[in-house]
């Protein structure tokens, strides 16, 4: 197709007018002097228009439009100063240029475009043919340009004054003291009775004292929010009457999702969402809680060739996306991937991050499909590979705006060689999927294997995960700057079974998603304990709850940074749905009407996190191999024992039938490494995954003279019973070398009384 010569209609009279070239930076539409400075990246565009909108019901689109051509262009940035524009003005963009789909150029001035730097977004995406930049022929996209105007069918930007930088202090928790709670703004409070109905599911609701009190009592230090960037549902969800509940379909990297704003719900101006979000952050900070954002800088909501044209595709498709002739190279599974080899794309990501840190006050980010952000330029062989020295990663590391800001990577995408756990550079911490799978394998799949009389996972991998995953984050092939705190340990996340469903379902139950149960993971390493789903069987129910507590106990005592999925502390279920991304209903909302066992589980979780916070031996900042291996008394920083009191042999490490492991954590190892006033305490962690209770022999002196029972997953509540409880549960000290009975499939924690806490080091 040739280039379209578009004639701008006469605009209605208005005081707004272009009075000068403005500046090419900063990008976006920003109040300046008597109007706004406008700057938009559109390298291949011939002309760019700012379209000022005023509501007019007499117009078919519902808007009266004034189009103003930006007069200047610098290094691919179209810019100009427009006088007479004030905060509250609605606007969109139109781009003129070549319509050459085979070369990746898809300029179509009939399509209005959202400013990628808009601070506030108003309106929703209406999946109608008007949003397509092409004509559909025989149900498929063609290379014919659509001439249907899209004004009125998509969201618009709103001009707002830039808020001042927050003045309150950040909590600034070090990684060693960080406990992350992954949550959803809407799902966390949608059913919480203590929150007023009009605030449930909103930023203001998340800042409600009832929510803050729960988080503080639980013992988490950071709330990691699923995407809060403005997003849009995919066409296939829209057609089924569903939404993208998780929000991994970004419409704007700067604007907060307005659906989560109580102020917008009350009919206040769209800009009120900024004040509400900032107030939420301030309230959480005041309670000592950090705010991390899950961000999706790897793709956008425009999807593949058949998707809508809303912003980037119309501004500069060939620049923003990884294109392949007329199509896209996709490493995200969404139809498109942003091209992070382009400096303009890296700049957009960094600008967004700075805005959320400096203006909105957040404390860090979790990067969805992080390797997609660090792939080099595509070549004739296909998708570019991952580069740990990619300009984006180097820029994050060097930018002073991000000093002390937490960076967490989801270290995989679906492209070639996309699994990169343990390979992200500092300052990134990685979601540790090896931890998730290793712990699940031992407690769940391993228990099933034992019942089916087949070999299980043994204890080697579990020990590696308990000790900080040195194989992933340490060793000679890793950078010396990475530590055990480079791994974020988790058992469940938004994507997959909740912890309660992990012990209740063997298979996914995703029928409500409308995809014939084809979506979601099939490799869950779950175990239903003998019955699929809800049951009245007391034995099955109690067994599940014991396993839940063992899983939570394992997470609490593991070296690394723990992350909980919100609601797991309450035994939250999604009815076996392991992919609730499109369900904004009771399936994914937290049910706060707690049964007694759920309150007990909440208190158990809080107890375990308090224990972790109190004792630095659970928060190791160096790998055990980084310290002297042997002490003068013959002990080491970590000791591994079998159930008979002997140090684990190589044959024991390799035994797939082994279900018992004792880990001795020597408090002397961390006594001299900080935290003044903290008494060095050693602990023995007794892990027994067998189907039957057994006796274990406790390590004898010089490891410890005696052991004081602290907690067992056999306990419904976090206290030792006054009288005989479960098998082997005793309230008194046990001498080193003695035998202690432990229940089936249990984790038992004992404080070790050392013969000399000041044992000399070699």
């Amino acid at each position: 197709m040739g280039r379209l010569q578009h004639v701008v209609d006469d605009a209605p009279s208005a005081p707004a007018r272009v009075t000068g070239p403005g500046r090419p930076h900063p990008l976006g539409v920003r109040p300046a002097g008597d109007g706004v400075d406008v700057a938009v990246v559109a390298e291949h565009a011939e002309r760019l228009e700012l379209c000022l909108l005023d509501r007019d019901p007499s117009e078919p689109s519902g808007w009266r439009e004034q189009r103003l051509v930006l007069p200047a262009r610098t290094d691919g940035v179209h810019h100009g100063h427009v006088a007479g524009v004030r905060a509250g003005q609605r606007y969109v963009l139109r781009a003129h240029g070549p319509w050459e789909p085979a070369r990746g150029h898809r300029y179509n001035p009939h399509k209005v475009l959202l400013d990628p730097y808009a601070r506030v977004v108003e309106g929703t995406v209406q999946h109608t043919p008007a949003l397509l930049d092409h004509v559909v022929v025989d149900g498929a996209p063609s290379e014919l340009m659509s001439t249907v105007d899209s004004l009125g069918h998509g969201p618009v930007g709103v001009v707002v004054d830039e808020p001042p930088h927050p003045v309150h202090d950040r909590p600034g928790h070090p990684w060693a003291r960080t406990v992350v709670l992954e949550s959803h703004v809407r799902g966390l409070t949608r059913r919480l009775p203590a929150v007023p109905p009009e605030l449930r599911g909103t930023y203001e609701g998340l800042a409600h004292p009832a929510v803050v009190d729960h988080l503080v009592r639980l013992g988490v230090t950071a709330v990691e929010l699923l995407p809060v960037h403005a997003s849009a549902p995919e066409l296939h969800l829209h057609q089924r009457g569903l939404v993208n509940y998780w929000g991994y379909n970004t419409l704007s990297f700067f604007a907060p999702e307005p659906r989560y704003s109580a102020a917008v719900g009350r009919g206040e101006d769209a800009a009120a969402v900024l004040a509400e979000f900032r107030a939420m952050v301030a309230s959480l900070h005041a309670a000592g809680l950090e705010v991390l954002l899950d961000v999706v800088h790897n793709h956008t909501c425009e999807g593949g060739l058949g998707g809508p044209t809303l912003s980037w595709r119309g501004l500069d498709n060939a620049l923003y996306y990884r294109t392949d002739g007329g199509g896209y190279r996709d490493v995200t599974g969404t139809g498109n991937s942003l091209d992070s080899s382009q400096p303009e794309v890296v700049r957009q990501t960094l600008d967004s991050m700075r805005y959320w840190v400096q203006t909105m006050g957040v404390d860090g980010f979790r990067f969805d499909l992080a390797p997609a952000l660090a792939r080099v330029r595509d070549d004739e062989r296909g998708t570019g590979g991952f580069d740990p020295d990619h300009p984006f990663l180097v820029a994050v590391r060097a930018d002073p705006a991000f000093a002390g800001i937490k960076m967490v990577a989801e270290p995989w995408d679906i492209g070639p060689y996309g699994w990169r756990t343990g390979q992200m550079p500092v300052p990134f911490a990685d979601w540790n999927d090896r931890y998730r799978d290793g712990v699940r394998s031992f407690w769940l799949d391993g228990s099933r294997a034992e019942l089916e009389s087949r070999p299980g996972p043994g204890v080697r991998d579990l020990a590696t995960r308990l000790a900080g995953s040195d194989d992933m984050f340490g060793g000679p092939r890793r950078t010396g700057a990475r530590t055990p705190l480079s791994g974020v340990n988790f058992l469940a996340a938004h994507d997959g079974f909740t912890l309660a469903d992990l012990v209740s379902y063997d298979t996914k139950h995703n029928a409500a998603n409308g995809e014939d149960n084809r979506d979601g993971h099939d490799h869950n390493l779950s175990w239903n304990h003998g019955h699929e789903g809800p049951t009245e069987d007391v034995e099955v129910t109690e067994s599940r709850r014991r396993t839940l507590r063992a899983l939570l106990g394992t997470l609490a005592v593991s070296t690394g940074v723990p992350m909980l999925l919100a609601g797991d502390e309450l035994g939250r279920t999604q009815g076996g749905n392991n992919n609730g991304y499109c369900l904004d209903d009771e399936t994914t909302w937290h049910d706060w009407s707690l049964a007694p066992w759920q309150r007990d589980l909440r208190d158990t979780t809080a107890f375990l996190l308090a224990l972790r916070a109190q004792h630095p031996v659970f928060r190791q900042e160096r790998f055990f191999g980084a310290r002297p291996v042997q002490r003068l008394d013959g002990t080491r920083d970590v000791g591994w024992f079998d159930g008979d009191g002997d140090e684990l042999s190589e044959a024991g490490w390799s035994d797939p039938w082994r279900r018992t492991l004792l880990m001795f954590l020597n408090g002397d190892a961390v006594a001299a490494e900080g935290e003044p006033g903290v008494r060095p305490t050693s602990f023995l962690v007794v892990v027994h995954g067998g189907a039957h209770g057994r006796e274990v022999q406790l390590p004898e002196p010089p490891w410890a003279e005696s052991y004081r029972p602290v907690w067992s997953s056999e306990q419904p509540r976090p206290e030792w019973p006054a009288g005989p409880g479960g098998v082997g549960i005793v309230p008194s000290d046990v001498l080193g070398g003695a035998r202690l009975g432990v229940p089936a499939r249990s984790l038992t924690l004992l404080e070790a009384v050392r013969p000399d806490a000041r044992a000399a080091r070699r």
Side-chain angles (χ1 to χ4, degrees):
M1 296 290 293
R3 298 181 180 179
L4 176 73
Q5 298 298 319
H6 179 76
V7 178
V8 179
D9 296 333
D10 290 335
S13 58
R17 64 196 186 283
V18 176
T19 60
R23 299 176 297 171
H25 304 288
L27 297 174
V29 178
R30 310 284 190 91
D34 62 352
V36 292
D37 280 341
V38 184
V40 181
V41 172
E43 182 177 306
H44 297 95
E46 298 165 354
R47 186 167 82 251
L48 203 72
E49 295 171 330
L50 173 69
C51 306
L52 304 177
L53 305 176
D54 294 293
R55 297 191 184 280
D56 187 345
S58 67
E59 293 288 339
S61 66
W63 296 103
R64 184 175 71 256
E65 178 184 12
Q66 180 186 5
R67 304 185 191 181
L68 301 167
V69 176
L70 299 182
R73 176 175 175 173
T74 304
D75 299 330
V77 176
H78 297 251
H79 53 97
H81 179 79
V82 181
V85 176
R86 294 288 182 266
Q89 175 68 58
R90 275 63 178 168
Y91 72 99
V92 289
L93 305 166
R94 292 183 187 267
H96 302 254
W99 174 261
E100 299 173 351
R103 296 181 55 199
H105 301 311
R106 307 186 66 90
Y107 287 102
N108 185 340
H110 303 290
K111 308 303 168 183
V112 297
L113 308 171
L114 185 67
D115 171 17
Y117 279 66
R119 296 325 201 220
V120 172
V121 170
E122 185 177 272
T124 59
V125 173
Q126 303 172 22
H127 281 284
T128 68
L131 292 181
L132 304 180
D133 66 357
H134 58 275
V135 176
V136 175
V137 178
D138 295 330
S142 75
E143 292 193 356
L144 299 173
M145 177 193 287
S146 166
T147 58
V148 179
D149 199 277
S150 66
L151 182 61
H153 296 274
V156 303
V158 183
V159 177
V160 293
D161 293 317
E162 195 85 351
H165 290 185
V167 295
H168 57 268
D169 293 332
R170 300 179 185 275
H173 298 296
W175 274 118
R177 284 193 166 275
T178 296
V179 180
V180 180
L181 185 79
E182 188 197 36
S183 188
H184 190 287
V185 170
R186 185 165 170 82
L188 184 64
T189 64
R190 192 67 182 84
R191 303 174 70 186
L192 182 55
V195 174
E198 67 275 11
L199 301 184
R200 295 173 192 168
T202 69
Y203 304 120
E204 191 173 344
L206 182 59
H208 190 275
V211 180
V212 176
D213 288 349
H214 171 76
L215 299 176
V216 171
R217 287 180 55 199
L218 188 61
V220 299
T221 67
V223 181
E224 181 180 296
L225 299 176
L226 267 67
V228 298
H229 291 168
S231 63
E234 296 89 334
L235 175 61
H236 69 93
L237 294 179
H238 175 78
Q239 291 172 335
R240 300 204 304 271
L242 300 173
V243 299
N244 190 314
Y245 170 70
W246 287 348
Y248 291 93
N249 208 40
T250 305
L251 172 67
S252 171
F253 295 110
F254 292 84
E257 173 55 58
R259 292 184 301 123
Y260 302 155
S261 171
V264 173
R266 289 191 292 265
E268 297 180 30
D269 189 274
V273 66
L274 301 182
E276 183 179 343
F277 187 94
R278 284 157 52 91
M280 175 198 73
V281 172
S283 295
L284 294 174
H285 282 179
L289 296 165
E290 294 179 303
V291 179
L292 313 182
L293 300 186
D294 195 333
V295 290
V296 190
H297 286 286
N298 56 77
H299 75 277
T300 77
C301 66
E302 291 184 311
L305 284 179
T309 292
L310 300 168
S311 181
W312 304 272
R313 178 179 283 134
L315 289 170
D316 207 321
N317 182 68
L319 181 148
Y320 279 109
Y321 294 119
R322 294 183 181 272
T323 57
D324 182 9
Y328 297 99
R329 290 178 175 174
D330 180 15
V331 297
T332 66
T334 64
N336 70 58
S337 298
L338 286 167
D339 189 355
S340 57
S341 71
Q342 299 284 359
E344 294 82 0
V345 174
V346 172
R347 176 172 59 181
Q348 174 181 264
T349 302
L350 294 171
D351 284 349
S352 170
M353 292 167 58
R354 291 190 201 97
Y355 176 73
W356 287 95
V357 168
Q358 296 176 334
T359 301
M360 304 301 277
V362 306
D363 305 281
F365 306 95
R366 179 266 190 189
F367 296 89
D368 179 67
L369 304 181
L373 278 64
R375 287 184 175 271
V376 297
R377 188 179 300 273
D378 295 344
D379 56 29
E380 66 278 1
R381 293 172 296 176
T383 302
F386 170 82
D387 180 5
D389 295 318
H390 188 280
F392 167 69
L393 300 178
V394 172
V396 168
R397 186 172 185 174
D399 195 323
F402 305 135
I405 296 301
K406 290 183 168 64
M407 305 287 181
V408 181
E410 181 184 40
W412 52 82
D413 64 20
I414 68 168
Y417 308 104
W419 183 77
R420 296 288 171 172
T421 305
Q423 300 175 42
M424 300 297 293
V426 294
F428 289 85
D430 298 5
W431 267 23
N432 190 350
D433 55 320
R434 284 286 184 87
Y435 180 92
R436 174 198 64 197
D437 294 349
V439 175
R440 286 186 182 189
S441 182
F442 179 84
W443 285 114
L444 300 170
D445 195 51
S447 294
R448 184 203 307 278
E450 182 184 19
L451 293 176
E452 295 174 355
S453 300
R454 57 180 173 84
V459 298
R460 183 189 295 274
D461 190 64
L462 176 68
T464 304
R465 305 310 148 211
L466 286 167
S469 297
D470 195 337
D471 61 332
M472 304 303 299
F473 303 103
R477 65 190 183 92
R478 312 293 178 190
T479 61
R482 303 215 86 186
T483 74
L485 301 175
S486 299
V488 176
N489 297 333
F490 68 105
L491 298 169
H494 66 277
D495 186 5
F497 281 139
T498 67
L499 209 58
D501 286 351
L502 200 64
V503 302
S504 303
Y505 294 90
D506 280 355
T507 60
K508 64 190 181 185
H509 296 262
N510 297 355
N513 299 355
E515 300 177 42
D516 297 325
N517 211 40
R518 296 188 305 270
D519 61 305
H521 295 299
D522 291 311
H523 184 64
N524 295 289
L525 295 171
S526 61
W527 177 43
N528 67 14
H529 289 70
H531 183 91
E532 188 74 357
T535 178
E536 300 296 323
D537 188 309
V538 174
E539 183 177 350
V540 170
T541 298
E542 291 303 319
S543 181
R544 289 174 176 174
R545 294 172 186 172
R546 286 194 297 270
T547 302
L548 272 179
R549 295 190 291 268
L551 288 164
L552 289 167
T554 303
L555 183 66
V557 302
S558 295
T559 297
V561 178
M563 185 188 83
L564 281 168
L565 173 63
D568 279 352
E569 79 279 13
L570 308 175
R572 182 176 74 91
T573 178
Q574 291 186 167
N577 192 314
N578 74 349
N579 191 35
Y581 79 104
C582 58
L583 302 177
D584 187 5
D585 58 24
E586 287 82 358
T587 305
T588 52
W589 301 341
H590 294 211
D591 184 358
W592 292 87
S593 56
L594 305 181
W597 75 269
Q598 292 173 295
R599 292 193 290 271
D600 290 343
L601 188 66
R602 174 198 61 197
D603 294 346
T604 294
T605 306
F607 171 82
L608 290 168
L609 294 182
L611 196 71
R612 180 183 178 88
Q614 184 179 355
H615 297 288
V617 76
F618 299 125
R619 300 181 272 107
Q620 304 277 345
E621 298 187 42
R622 291 194 290 164
F623 292 108
F624 291 106
R627 301 190 186 94
V629 173
Q630 186 98 9
R631 288 184 151 69
L632 289 175
D633 63 0
T635 65
R636 290 178 298 282
D637 296 341
V638 61
W640 304 101
F641 299 86
D642 61 19
D644 297 317
D646 298 322
E647 293 199 49
L648 207 58
S649 65
E650 183 55 39
W653 282 118
S654 304
D655 183 1
W657 299 96
R658 182 166 295 279
R659 300 288 290 152
T660 304
L661 175 70
L662 278 64
M663 176 176 69
F664 189 99
L665 293 172
N666 197 329
D668 297 345
V670 295
E673 297 183 0
E675 305 202 24
V678 176
R679 178 174 61 89
T681 307
S682 301
F683 285 89
L684 182 69
V685 181
V686 181
V687 177
H688 175 54
H692 306 285
R694 62 163 293 178
E695 286 191 339
V696 297
Q697 184 168 334
L698 306 180
E700 57 190 18
W703 289 94
E705 292 184 344
S706 64
Y707 297 87
R708 181 173 300 115
V710 174
W711 179 79
S712 170
S713 58
E714 184 74 2
Q715 303 167 234
R717 288 189 54 79
E719 65 257 354
W720 289 94
V727 177
I729 302 299
V730 294
S732 58
D733 289 6
V734 183
L735 293 177
R739 300 188 72 82
L740 174 70
V742 294
R745 302 191 192 100
S746 66
L747 187 146
T748 303
L749 187 61
L750 304 107
E751 180 182 337
V753 180
R754 298 272 288 131
D756 183 2
R758 299 182 302 277
R761 300 172 184 266
R762 286 195 186 278

